[in-house]
Amino acid sequence: KKSGATVVTLPGITKPMFIRGVGVDYKKVMRLTKKISDKLQKAKKVRIVAPGTDVTVDVRNCKNADDDGDFHRKSIHNLPSGEAGLAPKGADGHFTAKDVNLKKTRVNFILENNKVTAVSSQRLKKHLWGIKNARNVAELGIGTNPGAKASGNMLEDEKVLGTCHIAVGDSKSMGGPVQADIHWDFIINKPTIWL
């Protein structure tokens, strides 16, 4: 990337994921991603509400780090693509999300001042409190790929239209200030999102 290359990653891709998520009209994915991204750029705060979830995120002057499938833009992309995202300045509230690494177990989080202050999983707590900066709220992402479906692989799950995700850990890759050895995404299904 530093030398100007476009980087595309496909960690854990399967043939069905490829067919579903890559076989979409990427012009439509780009348009929808841009529409949501533009709204995020104009917003000051984002509120996310779903069962077990009520989070307010400070997005003032945050640079968007979208993954829209436009590989002409020199950046790091995923296939399948399809998310509008950014590294927030702050996050407070609580959310319940799916952790695909725990085989669809629901995990409850409490956020204060852009940090995880409590989590319902002892396994996650061990990681988040044991790794430097792992409790940092690193990303708010909104899925924009109509072909993606929840498969248990985060590469595809975070792109599903009708979901959003909150990640903890490293935000440097998203244009944020925090470096950490992990970047861990957690899916929130069917959220209502206010900007």
Side-chain angles (χ1 to χ4, degrees):
K1 183 180 173 188
K2 286 179 183 177
S3 67
T6 295
V7 179
V8 180
T9 64
L10 299 87
I13 190 90
T14 64
K15 186 175 180 180
M17 282 171 55
F18 190 92
I19 291 168
R20 283 191 301 268
V22 179
V24 297
D25 182 343
Y26 266 97
K27 288 184 180 176
K28 288 183 181 177
V29 172
M30 285 185 239
R31 281 194 300 268
L32 178 58
T33 303
K34 182 174 181 350
K35 182 178 178 180
I36 293 171
S37 184
D38 288 348
K39 289 181 184 290
L40 285 171
Q41 281 295 296
K42 293 174 185 172
K44 294 178 182 174
K45 294 197 183 238
V46 175
R47 184 174 177 210
I48 305 159
V49 177
T53 299
D54 193 344
V55 174
T56 301
V57 182
D58 182 348
V59 297
R60 287 174 292 182
N61 303 313
C62 292
K63 181 183 172 192
N64 286 15
D66 302 327
D67 189 7
D68 61 4
D70 181 2
F71 299 148
H72 294 96
R73 185 170 29 86
K74 304 296 184 208
S75 187
I76 297 176
H77 306 272
N78 282 154
L79 272 180
S81 301
E83 73 173 281
L86 51 76
K89 288 198 161 97
D92 293 281
H94 62 276
F95 74 97
T96 300
K98 180 175 76 171
D99 177 359
V100 298
N101 298 300
L102 295 175
K103 300 189 176 162
K104 301 186 181 176
T105 298
R106 307 301 291 179
V107 181
N108 302 310
F109 295 81
I110 296 186
L111 308 176
E112 296 173 11
N113 298 318
N114 215 50
K115 295 253 184 284
V116 175
T117 57
V119 62
S120 64
S121 162
Q122 288 303 311
R123 178 179 160 271
L124 271 178
K125 186 172 185 176
K126 179 182 171 188
H127 287 291
L128 297 181
W129 271 257
I131 299 171
K132 185 179 178 184
N133 294 328
R135 295 186 301 128
N136 173 62
V137 177
E139 177 188 6
L140 166 63
I142 300 172
T144 61
N145 186 322
K149 76 170 197 173
S151 63
N153 183 316
M154 192 57 69
L155 175 69
E156 181 176 27
D157 288 7
E158 69 179 0
K159 311 305 187 319
V160 174
L161 186 63
T163 69
C164 72
H165 57 280
I166 293 175
V168 297
D170 186 85
S171 67
K172 280 267 189 200
S173 62
M174 303 288 303
V178 177
Q179 187 168 355
D181 287 341
I182 66 164
H183 179 93
W184 210 332
D185 297 288
F186 298 93
I187 303 293
I188 300 168
N189 286 310
K190 298 181 181 175
T192 299
I193 302 174
W194 286 277
L195 292 86

